[in-house]
Amino acid sequence: PWEGYSIYTESENMTLLIPPQIANTQLGKKSPLPGYNDIVWALSLLVSNELVADKANFIGSAENATENYDYGYDFVEPPGVGSHLSLYFDRPDWDMQAEKFTSDFRAPQAGHIWEFDVTGTNPDKPVELIVSQMTELPENLSLHLIDLAGGVSIDLRNDSTFTFILSGQKSRRFKIIAGSDEFLE
């Protein structure tokens, strides 16, 4: 509050009315999970350093999701303001004006690869990336985090935290590969 808000719309004709109210909850990006009964599995991705954090990022599989933009599952990443960290899925292939998304849900298949970037304004601060289960995961689902810059692969079933430094770069690219062992091969 009193620092700024981000509002995204694909519409060119819109009126925004904001009646003043006292907020009773902390503001942030909306979680896509409450009220969804078709989620097969979901993960939360959080990045933080000693100064800032980006807490609301999600990937997963849902019966009604597709490989393209899905209203209600895939949310636009708000722009960074001031000192910030941002984790986003770059999706210029979707038919949207926005290209950066905070969540990317897909249809159930043998496997998927999510590519995402982490950017920040404090490149010398250690960044912690934490991947957490939001639902029960299918027993045969393998999950690997790939740090493309560092050439590191982490089995997320055994280790869900990865620490890195942006070090001079303002962006670092990662992949999460999720699927059967055959798909991962």
Side-chain angles (χ1 to χ4, degrees):
W2 309 111
E3 292 183 17
Y5 297 90
S6 173
I7 300 169
Y8 180 82
T9 180
E10 290 281 318
S11 173
E12 293 181 18
N13 185 13
M14 182 177 162
T15 301
L16 175 66
L17 301 174
I18 304 175
Q21 292 182 334
I22 296 174
N24 58 4
T25 61
Q26 189 173 13
L27 300 175
K29 292 186 274 187
K30 179 181 171 186
S31 167
L33 285 176
Y36 288 79
N37 58 6
D38 70 329
I39 301 288
V40 176
W41 62 269
L43 298 175
S44 169
L45 287 74
L46 176 146
V47 288
S48 65
N49 63 26
E50 63 188 50
L51 302 173
V52 292
D54 184 358
K55 300 178 182 180
N57 307 285
F58 310 97
I59 63 170
S61 179
E63 295 292 341
N64 293 318
T66 68
E67 299 305 303
N68 296 311
Y69 171 77
D70 298 300
Y71 179 81
Y73 295 99
D74 304 323
F75 294 94
V76 174
E77 174 75 3
V81 178
S83 178
H84 69 278
L85 270 175
S86 178
L87 184 153
Y88 62 88
F89 304 93
D90 195 15
R91 296 305 305 254
D93 54 316
W94 288 352
D95 189 21
M96 301 281 291
Q97 292 176 16
E99 294 183 354
K100 297 177 181 179
F101 291 82
T102 189
S103 59
D104 184 357
F105 279 81
R106 301 182 185 173
Q109 290 182 359
H112 292 285
I113 300 173
W114 283 268
E115 292 189 24
F116 62 94
D117 292 291
V118 175
T119 63
T121 55
N122 307 101
D124 297 323
K125 301 283 184 202
V127 176
E128 188 172 62
L129 168 61
I130 300 172
V131 180
S132 305
Q133 287 182 219
M134 296 186 71
T135 63
E136 195 67 34
L137 297 176
E139 192 173 303
N140 64 344
L141 184 70
S142 293
L143 292 165
H144 284 266
L145 172 70
I146 311 293
D147 174 8
L148 297 176
V152 176
S153 175
I154 298 170
D155 183 344
L156 290 172
R157 289 280 201 164
N158 298 325
D159 189 2
S160 61
T161 302
F162 180 66
T163 303
F164 62 95
I165 296 177
L166 291 171
S167 65
Q169 313 163 37
K170 295 225 173 170
S171 179
R172 190 146 173 176
R173 178 148 286 214
F174 296 89
K175 288 184 182 183
I176 289 183
I177 304 173
S180 65
D181 288 336
E182 295 80 27
F183 180 83
L184 265 68
E185 287 298 319

